[in-house]
Amino acid sequence: METTEPDAPPRPPAPSFIDVLEGVHSGLFLRQLSEAMADLTTAVRRQGKAGAIVIRFSVQPIAGNDEMVQIVPEMTPRMPRPKPTASTFFVTRDGGLSRDHPSQMTDPALQPAAANPEETQQR
């Protein structure tokens, strides 16, 4: 956005933001951003939910040099999260949790077969 005084000469066009971005950390930040975007789009497709990448550039003056500034980039990916899967348990009389109904009787014949065939023959 350009705000100039009526008598001020026109300002030359600003350099391309992509050109500036390629110069931040010698292009490392742009590569990291590209990787984060690929990870985000993969997660969005897999989860079927929205995600985002928040990018922030802090521009700071350099003490004693009014011709230079420092650019500090920050990137915060916000990946979609899967809905947690619930597990159902029975509550025992003493407040414990059990996958088996606490008052249901068990039949030893219905127990899973032993992994060792010799144990099965001993039954």
Side-chain angles (χ1 to χ4, degrees):
M1 182 181 280
E2 196 171 315
T3 57
T4 59
E5 296 294 321
D7 296 334
R11 186 170 76 174
S16 163
F17 183 73
I18 295 298
D19 291 341
V20 173
L21 191 55
E22 286 175 340
V24 175
H25 295 294
S26 300
L28 176 62
F29 182 75
L30 185 57
R31 286 190 299 278
Q32 291 170 336
L33 182 58
S34 296
E35 290 172 12
M37 180 60 86
D39 292 345
L40 177 64
T41 54
T42 299
V44 166
R45 289 182 66 201
R46 192 175 325 123
Q47 298 296 330
K49 296 180 181 181
I53 296 176
V54 177
I55 304 168
R56 176 182 167 155
F57 295 98
S58 298
V59 180
Q60 304 168 358
I62 295 178
N65 189 337
D66 63 352
E67 294 180 349
M68 296 181 75
V69 294
Q70 277 186 322
I71 298 175
V72 180
E74 294 178 58
M75 172 180 39
T76 307
R78 295 185 180 160
M79 299 296 196
R81 294 187 177 166
K83 182 178 179 182
T85 304
S87 295
T88 305
F89 290 87
F90 291 98
V91 180
T92 62
R93 288 189 178 127
D94 62 353
L97 298 173
S98 173
R99 299 291 283 173
D100 300 315
H101 192 288
S103 61
Q104 184 172 346
M105 297 178 67
T106 59
D107 184 349
L110 298 177
Q111 297 300 314
N116 185 348
E118 292 176 7
E119 289 180 22
T120 306
Q121 292 173 354
Q122 292 176 359
R123 286 187 179 182

